[in-house]
Amino acid sequence: MSRAAGDRLGEAWARSARMVGRRIGDEYVLVPLAGRGADLDSILNLNRVAAFVWEQLDGARSGTQVVASVVERFEVERARAEQDYLELVGTFVELGAVEPARRRG
Amino acid sequence: MVPSKARGFVRELAVRGSLPALPPGLAEEAVLAAAREQGVAALLLAALERERPAWAVAIFPPLAAERRALLVRTLGQIGLAARSLELVGSRGIRALPLKGAVLAETVCDVEADRPMSDVDVLALERFPEAVAVLREAGFAEVARGDHAWAFRDPQGHGIVELHRSVVSAPGLFPLDREGLWDRRREGRGQLRVLPSAEDLLVQLALHAAFQHGLVLSLAQWLDFRLVLEREPLDQARLLALATAARARAPLAAALAVAQAVTGASVPPALLEGLPRAMARRLEPRLGAPLDFVAPAEPDLARVRFDLLAGRRVELVWRTLVLPETPEGDERLSARVRFALGRARRLARHEAEAKRRAEPNAEQVHDLGEPQAPAVDGVEVPFGEELLRDCLAAFPHVRLSVTGRCMEPALAHGEKVRLVSASRRRPRVGDVVLARQEQGLRLHRLVFGPPLAPPGVRWRTKADRGLLLDPPLAAEDVLASVVSLESRPGSRPRRTLRALASLAQGIVARIRGGARLSAEAAS
């Protein structure tokens, strides 16, 4: 794992207030709340793992802790879970869906 | 058109929480249409996801897509309410959200469960300043009533109603402004402040009983059940608040109907307080719950008179004497002078209306410009719920026409004034706002009163169309056009034109039938 990736796993991320996640029936969707309200074109569907990760991003848990929860919940290998987590958080950061919280050691 | 059997089906679903057996002959599309009409599409989809009946395969995908769209729309609407509250709050004006937006963020599982036509905000003080704040922020006024002004969001198409009181005739049900603010709760979603659960229930009851004459959509009746089931209500406090707001009768009436329509469990103490005459009239009707579900026509005047037993003079006074004149004069003398003038004008217009319908300019409520580019046949760009609310609340509603199928009688972009069918019975020759299979349409009534016997379905037709529209029930005709703004002298009702159009439609049908027969024979 690169140093940058390791750093990112040490960080905690918080869901942005400008993004709303909702479970509706079988789906889990993220809806960005832009200045003019929600935008149908920007709605995102999350799979089960991504939805689980999204709900863990409370600004307190570090990436390492979230990955540990994913490994425990979905019985996947740690390396795979870390990779998925980092990709997902990268996407969330690009979308402005999460904001950095405090750094953890 | 939604068959009543389909409404019965979705009501049964709402009561039981699970799918009833699909009655023979009821198409799944009709169930879908009924669920949409009643604002319970999300409820239907949830039941379909749980039970996966074979008959619903075709309606599953559109419902799922609709739920996502509803979620986005509702979140945007709540955002609009939050923004409006923030704007007026920035000037130190205390305000609270009302009804749908509050329910969507409190008792609903997901915001998409509570579709809304608009959002409501109650200014607890300095109403004119709150209006000015919204105007400065670019909100455009689209409607004005004695209890609320409606504005279009400059950043989108949403409508926010800024209220000075919960329902019409401000003062009839006194607002405890300090108490409302003191009892407010913190919101956990986009809305930072919420009314207390008890205040919310009193407000819902006033809205249902006094504003809408005890006829609401199924989703709105379900609000009562959700609040009763999911909010930690303090019954003693609720009754005290209702008593202070002089709203015991509306509360009891609304809860009695909610119980009948949705199977809500209502504590008996909350059902007390109905005036005797109202109880006598209401109780036998509770056995037919669909009579209280839109599009049933409310007997608004009767319900208001019944609710206000012992206070009817005050009802008339507060209905006539508005909180301010159109010029913004709040002095009693000015308001009374305006009320007398208004009563005179109304009486004169009432007489004139028999010869030529001509509305009162001060009471027109503008629903604004078309939101979408003109598309053939799409004539009414607003949701039925919003239109119904406006028609019920305001004497006249102004609407911009889109489409060209009624030219030259109505031109694209022209503004028309509508009066609800409950205030003015439609007649043959009128251009009417009617609920068709494809949505709301402004077409001419070519068969109806006084020609149609009671119980016989009415017919409408576009002036430029060849064929008659499908037959309509009387309750599917929501309003009539009473004047055209750009042509003040013109007469929208054309009886001879309607009869000629009816004949043309019949001939076209016969020819079409003959052609089909010939094709079948060949």
Side-chain angles (χ1 to χ4, degrees):
Chain A
M1 185 191 306
S2 70
R3 185 169 171 181
D7 284 351
R8 190 152 265 195
L9 279 174
E11 290 170 337
W13 294 87
R15 296 183 296 271
S16 164
R18 303 186 69 77
M19 187 70 82
V20 174
R22 290 287 183 274
R23 185 176 300 285
I24 47 173
D26 299 339
E27 293 184 299
Y28 197 101
V29 294
L30 287 192
V31 185
L33 301 174
R36 51 180 292 167
D39 182 353
L40 186 57
D41 294 333
S42 310
I43 196 166
L44 289 179
N45 260 59
L46 300 187
N47 64 21
R48 275 194 324 138
V49 179
F52 178 80
V53 169
W54 169 258
E55 289 183 338
Q56 303 289 310
L57 299 178
D58 57 2
R61 293 182 180 88
S62 70
T64 309
Q65 288 171 310
V66 175
V67 168
S69 304
V70 171
V71 170
E72 187 185 327
R73 174 75 175 264
F74 296 98
E75 295 179 357
V76 290
E77 288 176 13
R78 170 166 292 277
R80 175 65 191 274
E82 281 177 355
Q83 189 187 337
D84 287 351
Y85 170 83
L86 290 170
E87 277 176 20
L88 192 59
V89 166
T91 306
F92 287 157
V93 170
E94 273 175 34
L95 293 168
V98 292
E99 291 157 355
R102 59 200 165 94
R103 185 174 285 273
R104 294 232 167 163
Chain B
M1 222 99 44
V2 176
S4 59
K5 209 184 331 183
R7 279 191 203 106
F9 180 89
V10 293
R11 179 192 156 257
E12 190 70 19
L13 163 67
V15 172
R16 296 158 42 138
S18 59
L19 288 168
L22 190 68
L26 181 60
E28 65 269 31
E29 288 85 2
V31 172
L32 177 61
R36 282 177 176 152
E37 176 195 78
Q38 296 301 324
V40 292
L43 186 74
L44 174 62
L45 181 57
L48 296 181
E49 281 175 339
R50 278 195 311 271
E51 302 177 35
R52 306 266 170 192
W55 59 263
V57 172
I59 62 171
F60 207 87
L63 264 175
E66 190 164 310
R67 182 174 54 186
R68 292 158 129 248
L70 262 179
L71 175 63
V72 171
R73 179 169 184 257
T74 311
L75 286 170
Q77 287 175 305
I78 298 170
L80 169 60
R83 204 151 25 92
S84 308
L85 287 163
E86 203 174 304
L87 278 168
V88 297
S90 69
R91 300 286 176 89
I93 301 169
R94 294 175 299 177
L96 289 169
L98 293 173
K99 304 184 293 190
V102 180
L103 293 156
E105 284 214 329
T106 52
V107 295
C108 294
D109 293 330
V110 181
E111 290 87 340
D113 293 353
R114 186 52 173 81
M116 296 177 272
S117 57
D118 54 30
V119 289
D120 302 271
V121 166
L122 174 66
L124 295 171
E125 58 200 348
R126 294 151 57 199
F127 181 78
E129 274 183 67
V131 166
V133 170
L134 291 186
R135 281 189 176 142
E136 283 166 26
F139 284 73
E141 185 188 323
V142 293
R144 190 188 293 194
D146 60 351
H147 67 301
W149 293 21
F151 295 89
R152 188 192 306 285
D153 177 14
Q155 296 180 15
H157 293 309
I159 303 281
V160 57
E161 278 190 13
L162 182 67
H163 286 246
R164 68 167 95 223
S165 75
V166 177
V167 289
S168 297
L172 207 50
F173 303 102
L175 270 183
D176 170 16
R177 296 170 195 280
E178 293 300 324
L180 277 164
W181 188 249
D182 291 344
R183 292 187 292 272
R184 75 189 183 281
R185 296 177 282 172
E186 195 181 328
R188 283 177 297 175
Q190 296 187 76
L191 299 171
R192 300 295 169 86
V193 289
L194 303 168
S196 75
E198 293 81 8
D199 284 313
L200 175 64
L201 196 58
V202 172
Q203 290 159 1
L204 291 176
L206 282 171
H207 177 253
F210 187 78
Q211 200 68 26
H212 288 279
L214 294 170
V215 173
L216 297 176
S217 69
L218 206 44
Q220 289 172 310
W221 284 124
L222 276 171
D223 292 342
F224 288 92
R225 195 170 98 184
L226 289 173
V227 171
L228 289 166
E229 287 176 356
R230 300 186 175 185
E231 291 282 20
L233 285 168
D234 178 331
Q235 196 173 305
R237 180 156 98 153
L238 173 61
L239 288 174
L241 293 181
T243 304
R246 307 184 79 177
R248 283 292 296 269
L251 179 69
L255 289 176
V257 177
Q259 187 172 45
V261 173
T262 69
S265 173
V266 182
L270 301 183
L271 296 170
E272 290 167 12
L274 270 186
R276 204 172 302 152
M278 179 159 211
R280 261 202 318 272
R281 233 186 301 276
L282 192 60
E283 274 160 19
R285 294 183 58 215
L286 295 174
L290 287 181
D291 287 357
F292 299 96
V293 175
E297 197 60 50
D299 190 348
L300 190 59
R302 179 80 261 167
V303 171
R304 286 186 176 183
F305 256 62
D306 281 351
L307 287 171
L308 274 295
R311 300 175 62 200
R312 287 169 183 162
V313 174
E314 190 187 356
L315 170 66
V316 174
W317 166 264
R318 291 202 186 270
T319 303
L320 278 177
V321 183
L322 305 180
E324 64 190 7
T325 67
E327 293 75 33
D329 197 333
E330 293 182 352
R331 290 172 306 161
L332 181 64
S333 57
R335 289 159 53 208
V336 171
R337 207 165 39 243
F338 175 74
L340 291 173
R342 185 174 172 229
R344 262 200 314 274
R345 280 196 303 277
L346 284 172
R348 203 182 313 132
H349 283 152
E350 191 63 28
E352 255 181 51
K354 289 180 181 155
R355 186 173 55 84
R356 192 185 74 176
E358 191 66 35
N360 177 357
E362 285 90 357
Q363 306 204 22
V364 171
H365 301 281
D366 186 353
L367 284 171
E369 297 297 327
Q371 293 170 8
V375 178
D376 260 359
V378 179
E379 295 181 346
V380 181
F382 297 93
E384 180 177 334
E385 196 186 340
L386 174 61
L387 272 169
R388 215 173 40 225
D389 282 354
C390 288
L391 286 165
F394 303 124
H396 300 93
V397 171
R398 184 189 292 144
L399 184 75
S400 297
V401 175
T402 64
R404 304 187 184 283
C405 65
M406 287 297 290
E407 287 183 345
L410 303 181
H412 170 67
E414 194 163 38
K415 289 201 167 188
V416 298
R417 293 175 181 184
L418 296 163
V419 172
S420 84
S422 59
R423 293 175 196 268
R424 178 187 177 282
R425 186 163 169 77
R427 293 171 64 83
V428 165
D430 282 339
V431 178
V432 295
L433 178 68
R435 187 185 299 112
Q436 306 278 6
E437 278 171 8
Q438 302 83 358
L440 295 175
R441 293 286 183 275
L442 277 173
H443 284 180
R444 197 174 297 283
L445 186 64
V446 296
F447 184 69
L451 302 179
V456 171
R457 291 164 85 78
W458 300 358
R459 301 303 293 259
T460 54
K461 181 175 166 297
D463 281 357
R464 295 182 70 185
L466 195 60
L467 300 174
L468 294 168
D469 300 324
L472 292 168
E475 61 266 23
D476 289 322
V477 175
L478 306 182
S480 309
V481 174
V482 291
S483 70
L484 317 178
E485 283 212 344
S486 54
R487 292 178 273 169
S490 69
R491 199 160 47 90
R493 179 191 292 161
R494 298 277 176 191
T495 310
L496 288 177
R497 170 95 204 215
L499 296 176
S501 202
L502 175 64
Q504 185 192 24
I506 292 169
V507 168
R509 188 171 170 187
I510 292 167
R511 282 186 179 160
R515 198 170 52 240
L516 283 176
S517 305
E519 281 168 9
S522 66

